[in-house]
Amino acid sequence: MKKSLIATGALLVMSSIFVISCGGGASSSNAAADGPTIGVTIYRYDDNFMSFYRRNIESRMSGKANLIINDSQNNQAQQNDQVDVMIQKDSKALAINLVDPQAAQTIIAKAKAKEIPVIFFNKQPSAEAMASYDKTWYVGTTPEESGDMQGKIVVDTWKANPTWDRNGDGIIQYVLLKGEPGHPDAEARTSHVTLYITNNGLKVERLEPEQTAMWDTAKAKDIVDAWMQKHGNKIEYIFCNNDAMALGALQSVQALGYNLEGGDPAKFIPIVGVDAIPEMINEIKKGTVAGSVLNDPVGQSQALVDLTLNAAAGKDPLDGTTWVLDEVKAVRVPYVAITKDNINVAEEAYK
């Protein structure tokens, strides 16, 4: 009798856990016995920023939905297959972090055929794709704003630290690490950081054509290694499209004795990133980098969960929320420029 009760209890526990593996990159998450099934894809689990985003999605969906969440491993074909499986599993809504923004129309067509709402996040589809289905929305940011915020950090810190102008010519000699080519955020950050700087009265000189490090720390380090070997102390600022690349740049210059905590101020090359992830926050506090731009994973994940759960329930996506949609059906969560002076703002975002 006791064995029978134990076995029955085990079965009940197992039945309360929703586990699915598909497309070679799926994980299990929290389940709610009476909640809707929600399908989620992340373009890459090992992306620094998206790892925090994913954890926030999982915690906010906990107890509210049966969550199918997939690692697309930066492979659009694999993501398409994962979407097919999530549709077959009767998902009531899909939350999609695209591998390739150009693939949005393909995913929309799959969902539209079954009248399943789709909420894209982090990588924005084209306005045409968004307009092609009335049950499609987007949660993200305004990409240009991150470049402007990064430019503001550069302007403010450069003016506050005249010794950073090593050759005294009044011009910022810089290099720039770019993210994924064609990614809306990478393109906007690359153009807007220097546009903001020059619009605010400073001059810049690019020492090298920007190079793409694909958001990756190791790739960024290799590129900056080569730049340092060629230019060394002539580099007066390093602009990075994200923090992972900024941390790679930091590793490179620190290997040469620059940017050490409490080190020689004459051996400091200011570095600025985007995302304000915890590792970067720590470096800002130590004074080894100039700053970053908070790409709020808490606010964005909350907006995504709110819209997705409402859409899955057949409600207006904004029902019961304070979020606002713009003209392309997008919720925009604002960026915040982060330096040592307001580091507490970034720290709060990760509590």
Side-chain angles (χ1 to χ4, degrees):
M1 180 65 178
K2 188 178 288 186
K3 289 182 178 179
S4 176
L5 286 171
I6 292 171
T8 301
L11 286 170
L12 287 171
V13 170
M14 290 175 68
S15 68
S16 70
I17 301 174
F18 190 92
V19 179
I20 183 165
S21 179
C22 61
S27 74
S28 62
S29 187
N30 300 293
D34 57 350
T37 296
I38 303 291
V40 182
T41 64
I42 304 290
Y43 95 102
R44 262 179 54 197
Y45 274 10
D46 61 357
D47 179 290
N48 298 58
F49 176 71
M50 293 313 300
S51 68
F52 293 107
Y53 206 136
R54 172 170 59 91
R55 289 176 216 169
N56 276 282
I57 293 171
E58 290 172 337
S59 64
R60 283 163 172 71
M61 285 284 191
S62 179
K64 299 175 183 176
N66 299 309
L67 189 64
I68 309 170
I69 187 162
N70 299 276
D71 179 0
S72 297
Q73 300 175 336
N74 209 26
N75 183 317
Q76 188 58 57
Q78 180 168 297
Q79 185 170 79
N80 292 347
D81 291 342
Q82 290 167 344
V83 169
D84 288 337
V85 173
M86 293 188 298
I87 291 173
Q88 291 167 11
K89 294 292 180 179
D90 198 28
S91 293
K92 300 304 181 186
L94 302 175
I96 307 296
N97 171 219
L98 290 160
V99 173
D100 179 1
Q102 300 301 316
Q105 197 66 67
T106 298
I107 290 174
I108 288 171
K110 293 174 183 288
K112 188 175 182 179
K114 299 292 185 178
E115 297 187 353
I116 300 170
V118 184
I119 299 85
F120 293 101
F121 63 102
N122 185 254
K123 290 188 184 181
Q124 184 173 357
S126 68
E128 293 76 16
M130 294 288 292
S132 70
Y133 182 32
D134 62 348
K135 294 181 180 179
T136 299
W137 299 275
Y138 176 71
V139 172
T141 57
T142 303
E144 295 79 8
E145 185 182 32
S146 59
D148 291 340
M149 291 282 185
Q150 195 174 60
K152 175 174 170 47
I153 293 171
V154 175
V155 170
D156 291 348
T157 56
W158 182 262
K159 289 181 177 179
N161 296 276
T163 59
W164 289 2
D165 185 7
R166 291 194 184 86
N167 60 9
D169 67 353
I171 301 171
I172 302 174
Q173 275 80 35
Y174 77 93
V175 290
L176 188 148
L177 289 167
K178 188 174 181 179
E180 179 185 350
H183 190 298
D185 289 351
E187 300 300 334
R189 291 170 189 175
T190 296
S191 61
H192 272 255
V193 60
T194 52
L195 180 63
Y196 183 96
I197 294 167
T198 55
N199 283 346
N200 282 272
L202 295 179
K203 296 179 179 179
V204 295
E205 178 187 354
R206 189 181 65 183
L207 295 180
E208 289 285 334
E210 61 259 8
Q211 288 196 38
T212 178
M214 295 298 292
W215 313 116
D216 185 77
T217 298
K219 288 184 174 70
K221 181 183 182 302
D222 290 344
I223 292 170
V224 177
D225 284 346
W227 284 342
M228 289 297 293
Q229 185 175 7
K230 182 176 180 181
H231 298 286
N233 212 38
K234 293 179 182 178
I235 298 173
E236 294 179 330
Y237 227 117
I238 302 176
F239 308 152
C240 307
N241 279 178
N242 80 337
D243 283 349
M245 296 188 296
L247 292 169
L250 180 63
Q251 290 175 13
S252 177
V253 301
Q254 284 186 328
L256 298 173
Y258 290 82
N259 295 44
L260 302 178
E261 185 178 6
D264 182 358
K267 296 205 71 175
F268 181 79
I269 299 175
I271 299 168
V272 64
V274 177
D275 287 337
I277 60 176
E279 294 92 332
M280 192 69 166
I281 292 171
N282 189 47
E283 298 300 336
I284 294 171
K285 289 170 72 173
K286 291 192 294 186
T288 58
V289 296
S292 185
V293 181
L294 178 62
N295 191 7
D296 183 6
V298 175
Q300 291 182 55
S301 61
Q302 187 62 65
L304 177 67
V305 169
D306 289 346
L307 267 66
T308 304
L309 289 175
N310 276 336
K315 300 178 182 178
D316 183 292
L318 302 181
D319 185 60
T321 78
T322 59
W323 306 113
V324 177
L325 292 173
D326 66 13
E327 68 280 358
V328 293
K329 301 187 293 179
V331 168
R332 308 288 182 181
V333 179
Y335 286 101
V336 182
I338 299 294
T339 63
K340 209 169 186 177
D341 294 337
N342 66 338
I343 198 70
N344 62 300
V345 174
E347 290 176 319
E348 286 294 322
Y350 288 94
K351 287 186 176 178

